[in-house]
Amino acid sequence: MRSMIKLVLFVLLVLAHHSQSLSKQHPTIETLLDRLDSLRPIRSVQESAAKGLLQRLLPTHFHSFDFRIISKDVCGGSSCFLIENSDGLRRIGPEIVIKGTTGVEIASGLHWYLKYKCNAHVSWDKTGGIQIDSVPQPGHLPRLDSKGILIRRPVPWNYYQNVVTSSYSYVWWGWERWEREIDWMALQGINLPLAFTGQEAIWQKVFKRFNISKGDLDDYFGGPAFLAWARMGNLHAWGGPLSENWLGDQLLLQKRILSRMLQLGMTPVLPSFSGNVPSALKKIYPGANITRLDNWNTVDGDPRWCCTYLLNPSDPLFIDIGEAFIKQQTEEYGEITNIYNCDTFNENTPPTSEPEYISSLGAAVYTAMSKGNKNAIWLMQGWLFSSDSKFWKPPQMKALLHSVPFGKMIVLDLYAEVKPIWKTSSQFYGTPYIWCMLHNFGGNIEMYGALDSISSGPVDARVSKNSTMVGVGMCMEGIEQNPVVYELTSEMAFRDEKVDVQKWLKSYARRRYMKENHQIEAAWQILYHTIYNCTDGIADHNTDFIVKLPDWDPSSSIQDESKQTDSHMISTGSYETKRRFLFQDKSSGLPKAHLWYSTKQVIKALKIFLEAGDDMSRSLTYRYDMVDLTRQVLSKLANQVYIEAVTAFVKKDVGSLRRLSEKFLEIIKDMDVLLASDDNFLLGTWLESAKKLARNNGERKQYEWNARTQVTMWYDSKDVNQSKLHDYANKFWSGLLEDYYLPRATLYFSEMLKSLRDKKKFKVEKWRREWIMMSHKWQQSSSEVYPVKAKGDALAISRHLLCKYFP
């Protein structure tokens, strides 16, 4: 017993030393953490919220766990959770005691115990859901050894969301879905979530004080599915207007979201004023320094939704509006946070690169925040430093980052798993930052990841010299895909050391499918070294030809069949020493879809995965992964078939073109049948959730148009010019393949065949005009009702397709 006490004291001494060194390095951050702690609800509220989560997650075990909030002093001054055996009688009281510094820490401890002691698994519903059948019955939960489990956060924050996630993923959610998401967030340890819902109702109240009318705001706000880009000043009015029903319902929803986040001890990040204003403000305040921004992705600068207005941060009106917005949020929600997001320069380049000017802009943005909340902290996405690196050189970066007092700005190193800015900017020139994974664009469905980078990147950043890292974050544009990537990333917020991914994946597979299976483990090892080992530095925005058919004239290609892009895995022994080389003919005029792995290896993984099907067929997580992997394999095959078809066209080989185009179309049809066999790959779910939020028929049609348009054309098209953002948010969904992607490809290949038969040039503009008309008709349609329930035997379909295409 005495030796045990010595061990605990030693651990606490080490933790205290680490915490003190962190405090000396970031004293302002430590002050901020203390201030945020003071805004959290009392212990009993957080404990009750954690018990409510347990009731929803595992109602049969509600009395099996005892939850207690503890002081950070127990963990040397850091946030932590502690899992111990209960001293009481197991059959009549709690078996396991979970202590945490907040409700989130308690939920994280519960998740850790269920994962690593009970082999349970928590995933989004749309990626297979929660697997808890492996948890023993009450009275029989696994005991811990005498020292229990103590896990402390090596960095204070686990951040969550991108500013566009609210449009790509959350837009049609009601409270029931939001409640499940907040539970998922708490279990993953997320304590710093973005909270952007309902802000338009706040803006309506604020702008009314500046004499902006409802009609002015109708031209200012975007439609429900495009609010993220209206908020950023990229567009206005597209998909709108917003009804009073929408504004009121979303504000009420936001209050419920914030209430639950706060009850669990999270610190929500609220929006702030970035300078984007209604056009009417220029007329009301003619002396204000308001400029019209350049065209952002419209076809021809259509003023109905193009070229928004930006109020210069140096104008006194900027501070007045910014202060009013912060205070209006406080009036609505109470004093709940000190952290506010602002991205004034996200895809909006300042008019001059003079450091003094940039510094003055940054100072003005912060002044507006701090006048609304004297303790305000500016949280900024660091995407601008990646996307516009030609402008943001060291002098410009320093000017912006140092325009506010130290500790009053936190930067999200948004794309750190691929392009970490902290390495090339001297730790953001001393500014605290959060190591983030971007991973997904547009909510696309694509199996992809960089697990090695995720398992080591946060640790490398934290232990690097003069590190200013203060958190780990997930900043995907869309969620509900690649669950393995998000589980590992969220764990890294609690990991002191790098993770052995191969070992971790073995445990992950056992938890995800509720049993150990050697075939599954072997398949995952292949996936780890192929699909989930992307190291080429290319942003994986899905451009597979089924969902993003190239908009080009193949007559311009002089590429022959022998010069195709191919990917080769060159074996030099074990997996760990294999290297991938991508051979490309640089002169090729052919479209290229992203391919970073050996397709042969992944087909092998699918074959092994399917061999385990009889043993796994009842697992929803297995079915999701099986359908997703089969889809991935077929999509890459379709890319190859498309290139072969274009090559046949260039060679004027009518027979081969007909055969290959028919094969491409057949793959689309087969994939639609495959995706229809799992509830999580259905267009109907997306459309019905949009219609469900409507209060009347007019809203129903508007919301459905928003939902259909976002995942197809996205933005405006005209005559022979497709939207510049067409297919940005493409989805592999049953219904979308059959009724949208299939007709498009059919029309395209028909024109190619007609061109060869008539011995005339391919009429690409004729195809574009006809396709744009067909697309508009589909976007505006509301007659079809797509299924929301799966049909067919997913395992049988996957096996059939493997044999059909890879005999």
Side-chain angles (χ1 to χ4, degrees):
M1 183 66 182
R2 184 174 297 172
S3 61
M4 184 65 216
I5 293 173
K6 287 182 178 179
L7 176 61
V8 171
L9 289 174
F10 174 75
V11 170
L12 291 178
L13 182 64
V14 171
L15 292 175
H17 174 75
H18 184 94
S19 177
Q20 288 167 8
S21 62
L22 181 68
S23 178
K24 288 176 183 177
Q25 192 173 349
H26 306 303
T28 312
I29 294 298
E30 290 300 302
T31 302
L32 169 62
L33 291 171
D34 290 341
R35 196 158 53 237
L36 293 174
D37 286 343
S38 71
L39 297 178
R40 290 195 176 93
I42 59 175
R43 295 184 176 193
S44 60
V45 171
Q46 295 185 64
E47 290 167 352
S48 178
K51 289 293 280 187
L53 187 158
L54 174 62
Q55 176 68 39
R56 292 185 293 276
L57 175 69
L58 203 61
T60 54
H61 292 68
F62 182 77
H63 298 291
S64 300
F65 294 91
D66 183 19
F67 293 160
R68 301 175 196 169
I69 296 290
I70 56 174
S71 167
K72 285 183 179 179
D73 295 338
V74 176
C75 300
S78 298
S79 297
C80 71
F81 61 79
L82 178 62
I83 311 172
E84 300 174 325
N85 297 319
S86 174
D87 294 332
L89 297 174
R90 299 183 68 189
R91 296 189 179 278
I92 60 173
E95 303 170 65
I96 299 296
V97 179
I98 301 178
K99 302 173 183 178
T101 47
T102 68
V104 170
E105 258 61 39
I106 290 175
S108 303
L110 173 64
H111 189 203
W112 199 277
Y113 176 81
L114 294 176
K115 280 169 65 171
Y116 290 112
K117 289 298 178 179
C118 303
N119 288 319
H121 176 71
V122 175
S123 179
W124 288 301
D125 289 351
K126 281 181 71 73
T127 56
I130 295 167
Q131 305 299 330
I132 53 176
D133 289 352
S134 59
V135 179
Q137 292 297 310
H140 301 280
L141 289 179
R143 303 287 283 176
L144 306 169
D145 60 32
S146 58
K147 62 184 178 182
I149 298 173
L150 173 64
I151 302 290
R152 59 171 296 282
R153 291 185 186 268
V155 283
W157 287 303
N158 190 348
Y159 175 81
Y160 185 55
Q161 294 179 42
N162 188 296
V163 294
V164 302
T165 317
S166 57
S167 290
Y168 283 133
S169 295
Y170 308 151
V171 56
W172 309 122
W173 288 5
W175 170 245
E176 183 181 349
R177 179 61 187 88
W178 259 111
E179 184 174 51
R180 294 199 302 274
E181 184 70 4
I182 297 170
D183 284 351
W184 179 90
M185 289 160 53
L187 291 164
Q188 305 296 335
I190 292 159
N191 59 4
L192 191 66
L194 208 58
F196 268 27
T197 301
Q199 62 177 281
E200 282 67 33
I202 304 291
W203 278 120
Q204 184 182 46
K205 295 178 181 181
V206 170
F207 279 130
K208 187 177 181 179
R209 301 180 203 170
F210 295 87
N211 300 313
I212 299 294
S213 68
K214 174 67 167 64
D216 297 330
L217 291 178
D218 286 346
D219 182 59
Y220 174 65
F221 295 141
F226 303 97
L227 283 175
W229 300 275
R231 293 165 181 169
M232 289 188 287
N234 300 134
L235 54 81
H236 65 98
W238 179 251
L242 296 179
S243 68
E244 288 297 329
N245 290 334
W246 175 272
L247 294 170
D249 290 346
Q250 290 293 297
L251 181 59
L252 289 174
L253 179 60
Q254 169 76 334
K255 289 180 178 180
R256 296 188 75 175
I257 291 168
L258 291 173
S259 177
R260 182 59 56 79
M261 287 178 173
L262 293 167
Q263 288 166 7
L264 286 164
M266 297 178 185
T267 298
V269 178
L270 293 177
S272 63
F273 181 50
S274 63
N276 181 31
V277 294
S279 60
L281 198 74
K282 191 171 179 64
K283 297 176 183 177
I284 298 169
Y285 295 89
N289 187 354
I290 299 174
T291 56
R292 194 175 190 191
L293 298 175
D294 292 336
N295 179 23
W296 184 85
N297 286 314
T298 64
V299 167
D300 58 359
D302 193 321
R304 288 176 295 173
W305 29 79
C306 154
C307 311
T308 58
Y309 289 86
L310 186 70
L311 176 61
N312 194 299
S314 63
D315 193 293
L317 188 60
F318 186 102
I319 294 174
D320 292 342
I321 295 174
E323 177 185 0
F325 182 63
I326 296 289
K327 287 184 174 179
Q328 185 63 46
Q329 289 186 107
T330 304
E331 184 178 325
E332 293 284 344
Y333 312 137
E335 189 178 349
I336 61 172
T337 188
N338 292 326
I339 303 183
Y340 300 91
N341 169 261
C342 184
D343 294 304
T344 297
F345 310 110
N346 187 46
E347 300 189 19
N348 290 323
T349 304
T352 174
S353 61
E354 285 297 321
E356 294 81 6
Y357 177 79
I358 293 172
S359 182
S360 68
L361 293 184
V365 170
Y366 180 70
T367 299
M369 279 185 205
S370 60
K371 287 198 73 174
N373 180 340
K374 65 180 181 180
N375 297 315
I377 303 295
W378 178 1
L379 182 108
M380 181 181 72
Q381 290 195 154
W383 178 242
L384 69 169
F385 302 134
S386 290
S387 64
D388 197 6
S389 57
K390 289 184 179 179
F391 177 89
W392 293 100
K393 301 296 184 183
Q396 289 74 33
M397 286 183 67
K398 288 179 184 178
L400 179 58
L401 295 172
H402 294 169
S403 64
V404 301
F406 177 80
K408 295 296 185 179
M409 176 186 280
I410 300 171
V411 182
L412 302 178
D413 197 352
L414 207 72
Y415 202 18
E417 87 276 23
V418 174
K419 189 180 178 181
I421 301 299
W422 69 266
K423 287 186 176 181
T424 57
S425 65
S426 301
Q427 309 276 351
F428 287 94
Y429 304 107
T431 304
Y433 72 94
I434 295 175
W435 188 102
C436 294
M437 175 192 73
L438 178 52
H439 184 258
N440 177 271
F441 293 86
N444 298 158
I445 297 173
E446 164 98 297
M447 293 182 74
Y448 159 83
L451 295 185
D452 283 343
S453 175
I454 293 166
S455 68
S456 60
V459 178
D460 288 338
R462 180 173 54 82
V463 302
S464 61
K465 186 178 179 181
N466 298 321
S467 176
T468 56
M469 176 185 164
V470 292
V472 175
M474 298 183 285
C475 297
M476 61 287 122
E477 289 192 352
I479 63 168
E480 298 177 323
Q481 34 75 31
N482 291 289
V484 64
V485 172
Y486 294 89
E487 181 161 337
L488 179 59
T489 307
S490 62
E491 254 192 44
M492 294 310 297
F494 292 98
R495 294 282 189 177
D496 266 320
E497 298 178 346
K498 297 179 182 181
V499 171
D500 182 333
V501 178
Q502 190 159 313
K503 183 179 178 182
W504 185 88
L505 277 175
K506 187 174 181 179
S507 170
Y508 172 84
R510 184 172 66 253
R511 298 192 307 271
R512 183 156 171 81
Y513 311 119
M514 295 184 294
K515 62 174 67 175
E516 193 169 342
N517 182 289
H518 297 305
Q519 292 164 312
I520 291 292
E521 290 176 8
W524 266 107
Q525 286 306 309
I526 296 174
L527 296 179
Y528 165 38
H529 294 288
T530 52
I531 283 175
Y532 290 111
N533 187 34
C534 184
T535 57
D536 60 16
I538 297 174
D540 189 60
H541 189 183
N542 195 339
T543 55
D544 283 355
F545 300 144
I546 287 178
V547 293
K548 191 167 186 178
L549 192 72
D551 183 1
W552 74 309
D553 181 357
S555 301
S556 63
S557 174
I558 58 171
Q559 180 74 22
D560 68 47
E561 195 169 8
S562 66
K563 293 183 179 178
Q564 300 311 310
T565 296
D566 196 7
S567 180
H568 303 271
M569 183 72 77
I570 299 180
S571 176
T572 58
S574 67
Y575 265 125
E576 287 72 17
T577 56
K578 286 185 178 180
R579 299 183 63 197
R580 181 181 55 77
F581 293 86
L582 188 66
F583 296 101
Q584 293 184 342
D585 173 48
K586 300 300 182 183
S587 65
S588 170
L590 291 171
K592 295 180 179 68
H594 188 200
L595 183 62
W596 63 97
Y597 59 84
S598 163
T599 54
K600 289 182 179 179
Q601 285 292 318
V602 174
I603 293 167
K604 180 182 177 182
L606 174 60
K607 181 177 182 294
I608 297 171
F609 206 83
L610 291 176
E611 287 172 356
D614 293 333
D615 188 40
M616 296 285 182
S617 59
R618 295 183 63 185
S619 166
L620 295 179
T621 44
Y622 172 80
R623 187 175 74 183
Y624 172 86
D625 290 345
M626 174 189 66
V627 170
D628 201 22
L629 182 55
T630 308
R631 175 210 56 75
Q632 181 89 1
V633 166
L634 291 178
S635 183
K636 302 308 177 188
L637 172 64
N639 291 344
Q640 178 185 333
V641 172
Y642 173 87
I643 294 297
E644 291 173 356
V646 171
T647 302
F649 174 83
V650 172
K651 291 182 174 181
K652 298 181 171 55
D653 184 344
V654 177
S656 293
L657 175 59
R658 181 181 293 109
R659 174 179 57 82
L660 290 163
S661 61
E662 288 174 355
K663 184 175 182 180
F664 187 88
L665 300 177
E666 189 171 6
I667 292 173
I668 298 179
K669 295 174 186 176
D670 284 340
M671 286 182 71
D672 194 88
V673 172
L674 168 72
L675 297 172
S677 68
D678 188 277
D679 288 339
N680 305 302
F681 296 93
L682 304 178
L683 170 65
T685 305
W686 172 253
L687 297 183
E688 292 305 311
S689 62
K691 290 185 278 187
K692 188 177 179 181
L693 288 188
R695 296 277 202 93
N696 53 55
N697 192 51
E699 290 178 359
R700 192 172 296 108
K701 287 183 177 180
Q702 180 193 9
Y703 296 175
E704 183 170 1
W705 181 91
N706 270 254
R708 285 171 176 254
T709 299
Q710 190 203 84
V711 298
T712 53
M713 277 296 181
W714 206 108
Y715 211 7
D716 66 326
S717 302
K718 188 175 181 180
D719 298 328
V720 296
N721 293 308
Q722 285 199 78
S723 161
K724 293 181 180 180
L725 296 173
H726 73 89
D727 301 308
Y728 183 95
N730 64 68
K731 302 290 189 295
F732 278 98
W733 284 341
S734 175
L736 195 58
L737 269 75
E738 184 174 26
D739 287 356
Y740 191 83
Y741 300 137
L742 179 62
R744 176 173 65 183
T746 300
L747 186 64
Y748 183 79
F749 283 119
S750 294
E751 285 297 326
M752 290 177 71
L753 284 164
K754 189 175 187 302
S755 170
L756 289 188
R757 284 196 304 265
D758 297 346
K759 298 182 179 179
K760 293 182 179 179
K761 192 175 184 296
F762 177 70
K763 297 181 179 178
V764 66
E765 290 199 352
K766 178 176 180 289
W767 169 74
R768 286 172 180 157
R769 181 176 284 107
E770 291 182 14
W771 168 241
I772 289 170
M773 289 175 61
M774 289 174 64
S775 176
H776 283 177
K777 184 177 179 180
W778 187 87
Q779 289 168 251
Q780 294 162 2
S781 175
S782 58
S783 56
E784 315 100 320
V785 177
Y786 289 93
V788 294
K789 291 294 181 183
K791 63 178 180 180
D793 183 334
L795 179 59
I797 293 169
S798 291
R799 284 174 168 170
H800 166 71
L801 294 178
L802 179 67
C803 292
K804 178 178 179 178
Y805 289 105
F806 306 100

